[in-house]
Amino acid sequence: GAVVSQHPSWVICKSGTSVKIECRSLDFQATTMFWYRQFPKQSLMLMATSNEGSKATYEQGVEKDKFLINHASLTLSTLTVTSAHPEDSSFYICSARGLAGRDTQYFGPGTRLTVL
Amino acid sequence: AQSVTQPDIHITVSEGASLELRCNYSYGATPYLFWYVQSPGQGLQLLLKYFSGDTLVQGIKGFEAEFKRSQSSFNLRKPSVHWSDAAEYFCAVFSGSARQLTFGSGTQLTVLP
């Protein structure tokens, strides 16, 4: 099956710093990538959808200036958490979908962010 | 708007017993349905999917799911559970208009030895 990687798998940072998380589709071209946030014992919350070469579409309540998303190529999307604070600590998961509109979304292994 | 309901927050079964995880959806058109599994601290792995055709779909790890349009359900089953099946299971429906997945709240599966 299709493989999606995320890097780093975990990161600890100080409050006020910025953190970049990479999401790559390793063996397919992802026209659309999704970024989710997951709190403990909860389901996934969609943060934003990004199409290659376009600006990301953010879900209601998600600060686009805080969570910067770049989808510069068909295999790479990045999420940058700017000026991170402890409340941004969470599990971030990316997902990628191929060229066909209803194709399956494949998920990355997630990134655990802890802001001290 | 589409929605997915997983009525069971937590299910406990003994190893070797059969399993059924419930999923009900609300969607106006023909749904595209998915089951994903998530182990602790991991991303989601696709178990199986239904787009059209045979309403009984086979997935990986011995799982299967049956699409029942009349009941708006897509329940996941496994005839004999293994200890390694302990995880969180998510049902999801793909919305063509929104072009995104809508997830249920998940069902936590515990397997007793």
Side-chain angles (χ1 to χ4, degrees):
Chain A
V3 179
V4 176
S5 70
Q6 268 183 255
H7 178 80
S9 55
W10 60 269
V11 57
I12 302 173
C13 69
K14 292 182 178 180
S15 184
T17 61
S18 295
V19 175
K20 179 184 283 188
I21 302 171
E22 289 187 351
C23 176
R24 295 180 183 273
S25 57
L26 298 185
D27 50 3
F28 68 103
Q29 292 184 325
T31 51
T32 306
M33 286 187 170
F34 306 84
W35 286 95
Y36 294 85
R37 186 172 179 177
Q38 186 179 33
F39 293 102
K41 306 291 186 184
Q42 294 189 26
S43 188
L44 282 72
M45 182 190 77
L46 180 65
M47 298 174 65
T49 302
S50 73
N51 292 296
E52 185 263 340
S54 303
K55 288 184 178 180
T57 301
Y58 290 81
E59 296 299 300
Q60 191 172 7
V62 178
E63 299 176 59
K64 62 180 181 181
D65 293 330
K66 180 162 191 63
F67 298 100
L68 301 179
I69 292 172
N70 182 277
H71 191 169
S73 76
L74 286 172
T75 59
L76 174 63
S77 176
T78 59
L79 167 67
T80 302
V81 183
T82 62
S83 187
H85 290 284
E87 59 265 30
D88 298 323
S89 298
S90 190
F91 193 55
Y92 293 88
I93 304 175
C94 76
S95 174
R97 187 172 68 209
L99 293 174
R102 61 176 170 84
D103 266 1
T104 306
Q105 279 181 229
Y106 294 94
F107 287 79
T111 297
R112 172 73 58 191
L113 170 63
T114 301
V115 184
L116 302 177
Chain B
Q2 67 279 357
S3 66
V4 179
T5 302
Q6 293 181 245
D8 305 304
I9 296 174
H10 194 176
I11 283 184
T12 300
V13 298
S14 297
E15 190 170 17
S18 63
L19 171 70
E20 182 169 34
L21 302 183
R22 296 184 291 166
C23 172
N24 294 96
Y25 67 89
S26 173
Y27 188 60
T30 300
Y32 300 140
L33 297 159
F34 303 81
W35 274 101
Y36 288 89
V37 60
Q38 183 181 33
S39 296
Q42 301 293 317
L44 274 66
Q45 180 182 22
L46 176 69
L47 285 176
L48 47 78
K49 59 188 177 184
Y50 171 78
F51 287 167
S52 65
D54 193 346
T55 56
L56 183 63
V57 293
Q58 303 296 319
I60 62 172
K61 303 184 179 186
F63 285 94
E64 67 178 26
E66 186 171 13
F67 170 60
K68 293 185 177 180
R69 184 185 298 275
S70 62
Q71 298 178 20
S72 296
S73 69
F74 187 57
N75 294 347
L76 182 71
R77 300 192 295 246
K78 185 169 185 177
S80 178
V81 171
H82 189 262
W83 64 267
S84 60
D85 294 324
E88 185 89 18
Y89 292 80
F90 292 98
C91 180
V93 61
F94 176 75
S95 164
S97 58
R99 298 178 63 78
Q100 62 183 238
L101 286 175
T102 298
F103 284 92
S105 55
T107 297
Q108 178 70 46
L109 174 65
T110 297
V111 180
L112 300 176

